Amino acid sequence: MATVLIVDDDQKLLNMLRRTLAYEGFHVLTAADGNAALAYVQTHRPDVIVLDWMMPGLDGLGVIKQLRALNDQTLILMLTARDAVEDRVAGLETGADDYLAKPFAPAELIARVHALLRRPSVVNQDEPLTYADLYLHPLTRQTRRGERAFELTSKEFDLLRFLMTHPRRVLRREEILQEVWGYDFGGEDNVLEVYIGYLRRKTEAGGEPRLIHTVRAVGYVLREE
């Protein structure tokens, strides 16, 4: 279940969007201003932020600038009544991933949220990946938890790399199997569960807190508690 944070100072619109997205199966959080949104991002790590531009105090562009300055790449769908081309360009160049002008149909907003979640992660395959105190280097195949190095088999490495390219996103079991084992994978039904167990033992061997979590009846997610 993906988490969506809705940020808007219009309480009526906020409530409508909360009900709409919850009905679609999303876990929904709401915030009425930019500062509250930043706090939620730090504590709840949403998958998508539906963000109003025009808010008192810290506006939507200000929220995006602060998140991107911290290298936070949470997906952002900006909402605004400002639909001139230059406004759209400003929002996207600041770091928004998509832009939806008010008024809009709820069905279009839902479709755009789904489209954002389907986007492949834009990751340089040669660059090291980090999440929390977990480190993985695609070229040297080095892996560490803090200062503790550990070794992975080829398939364990591929699985951990896929999880680390989508941190905080709930990945469906079928999606992981297709990506790591291939579309024609025909192995045992519990192969993914077995390999998740291998990764947990190796990433938690020094007593570190769990990062790979099970989402019952859906799949797995890499996140800090």
Side-chain angles (χ1 to χ4, degrees), residues 128-217:
L129 299 173
T130 60
Y131 182 72
D133 60 349
L134 195 58
Y135 172 93
L136 178 149
H137 199 302
L139 289 181
T140 66
R141 301 185 79 82
Q142 293 176 314
T143 47
R144 295 196 307 268
R145 186 77 193 265
E147 298 301 317
R148 181 179 64 82
F150 58 91
E151 294 185 1
L152 297 175
T153 66
S154 177
K155 197 57 69 178
E156 289 168 355
F157 186 91
D158 292 343
L159 176 56
L160 183 59
R161 178 167 59 180
F162 185 56
L163 292 171
M164 290 183 69
T165 57
H166 301 84
R168 305 186 303 274
R169 176 184 156 193
V170 176
L171 299 169
R172 291 179 296 106
R173 187 178 184 279
E174 296 78 9
E175 183 179 3
I176 301 172
L177 286 170
Q178 289 175 357
E179 177 67 25
V180 178
W181 277 270
Y183 284 93
D184 298 324
F185 173 74
E188 297 103 350
D189 288 340
N190 68 338
V191 66
L192 177 56
E193 289 70 23
V194 170
Y195 272 82
I196 289 290
Y198 293 158
L199 284 183
R200 283 173 172 164
R201 283 195 289 274
K202 292 183 177 182
T203 58
E204 301 169 17
E208 300 91 346
R210 177 157 294 180
L211 290 177
I212 303 172
H213 301 276
T214 302
V215 180
R216 190 178 299 276

Side-chain angles (χ1 to χ4, degrees), residues 52-54 78-84 87 99-103:
D52 186 35
W53 182 332
M54 303 298 291
M78 173 163 278
L79 302 179
T80 179
R82 302 173 62 164
D83 61 352
D87 293 323
Y99 190 110
L100 184 58
K102 298 177 180 179

Side-chain angles (χ1 to χ4, degrees), residues 3-196:
T3 297
V4 179
L5 170 62
I6 308 168
V7 188
D8 201 303
D9 62 325
D10 182 337
Q11 193 63 48
K12 185 176 180 180
L13 178 61
L14 198 67
N15 289 336
M16 184 274 287
L17 292 178
R18 177 180 54 77
R19 290 193 299 269
T20 299
L21 289 167
Y23 183 78
E24 289 295 315
F26 293 103
H27 177 222
V28 182
L29 305 170
T30 61
D33 60 68
N35 288 316
L38 291 173
Y40 267 117
V41 172
Q42 293 300 314
T43 57
H44 294 278
R45 296 294 182 184
D47 299 288
V48 179
I49 304 173
V50 177
L51 178 65
D52 186 35
W53 182 332
M54 303 298 291
M55 293 183 292
L58 184 65
D59 66 7
L61 281 188
V63 171
I64 296 174
K65 288 176 181 177
Q66 290 199 33
L67 290 176
R68 298 314 187 220
L70 295 170
N71 201 33
D72 188 303
Q73 298 303 310
T74 305
L75 296 165
I76 298 174
L77 171 59
M78 173 163 278
L79 302 179
T80 179
R82 302 173 62 164
D83 61 352
V85 171
E86 55 269 26
D87 293 323
R88 295 172 183 264
V89 170
L92 294 170
E93 288 192 343
T94 300
D97 297 284
D98 200 358
Y99 190 110
L100 184 58
K102 298 177 180 179
F104 55 85
E108 182 178 4
L109 180 135
I110 292 166
R112 287 176 181 261
V113 170
H114 282 300
L116 285 174
L117 289 170
R118 287 195 300 269
R119 284 188 182 183
S121 178
V122 181
V123 176
N124 186 329
Q125 296 299 308
D126 295 338
E127 291 295 319
L129 299 173
T130 60
Y131 182 72
D133 60 349
L134 195 58
Y135 172 93
L136 178 149
H137 199 302
L139 289 181
T140 66
R141 301 185 79 82
Q142 293 176 314
T143 47
R144 295 196 307 268
R145 186 77 193 265
E147 298 301 317
R148 181 179 64 82
F150 58 91
E151 294 185 1
L152 297 175
T153 66
S154 177
K155 197 57 69 178
E156 289 168 355
F157 186 91
D158 292 343
L159 176 56
L160 183 59
R161 178 167 59 180
F162 185 56
L163 292 171
M164 290 183 69
T165 57
H166 301 84
R168 305 186 303 274
R169 176 184 156 193
V170 176
L171 299 169
R172 291 179 296 106
R173 187 178 184 279
E174 296 78 9
E175 183 179 3
I176 301 172
L177 286 170
Q178 289 175 357
E179 177 67 25
V180 178
W181 277 270
Y183 284 93
D184 298 324
F185 173 74
E188 297 103 350
D189 288 340
N190 68 338
V191 66
L192 177 56
E193 289 70 23
V194 170
Y195 272 82
I196 289 290

